[in-house]
Amino acid sequence: MRFVNHRIIPLARKRPVVSARCLHEGCAWKAETGSDVAEVDRQCMSHASLNPYHSMFGRTFEDIAVVQRVSQ
């Protein structure tokens, strides 16, 4: 049996996808999904400013990663 070292890295040519949703009970608001974290954050802040008690958001980040064998 032999062990081989590996590493995992994000795929450089693919930007992460970000989404967010309001966690206030009964609220179904969701941010428009995109690759710009700052834009999704602005959407969350805008929603919170219109709905003062909606101040918690679940954010999701998704990317594509590649596992590479590490040469020794």
Side-chain angles (χ1 to χ4, degrees), residues 2-9 66-72:
R2 151 180 114 97
F3 293 95
V4 179
N5 288 325
H6 290 82
R7 66 179 173 182
I8 188 165
I9 59 172
V66 178
V67 174
Q68 290 182 336
R69 190 176 191 163
V70 177
S71 305
Q72 295 192 11

Side-chain angles (χ1 to χ4, degrees), residues 39-55:
E39 175 54 31
V40 172
D41 287 350
R42 279 190 288 276
Q43 292 177 48
C44 292
M45 289 184 280
S46 177
H47 177 71
S49 70
L50 296 172
N51 305 279
Y53 298 105
H54 298 216
S55 59

Side-chain angles (χ1 to χ4, degrees), residues 2-64:
R2 151 180 114 97
F3 293 95
V4 179
N5 288 325
H6 290 82
R7 66 179 173 182
I8 188 165
I9 59 172
L11 192 60
R13 65 179 180 266
K14 189 76 171 159
R15 292 187 65 170
V17 175
V18 184
S19 60
R21 62 185 176 83
C22 182
L23 296 178
H24 188 81
E25 187 175 335
C27 185
W29 181 88
K30 292 182 180 180
E32 192 173 314
T33 301
S35 60
D36 185 358
V37 176
E39 175 54 31
V40 172
D41 287 350
R42 279 190 288 276
Q43 292 177 48
C44 292
M45 289 184 280
S46 177
H47 177 71
S49 70
L50 296 172
N51 305 279
Y53 298 105
H54 298 216
S55 59
M56 291 181 61
F57 298 87
R59 297 191 307 172
T60 304
F61 300 83
E62 183 179 315
D63 68 352
I64 296 175

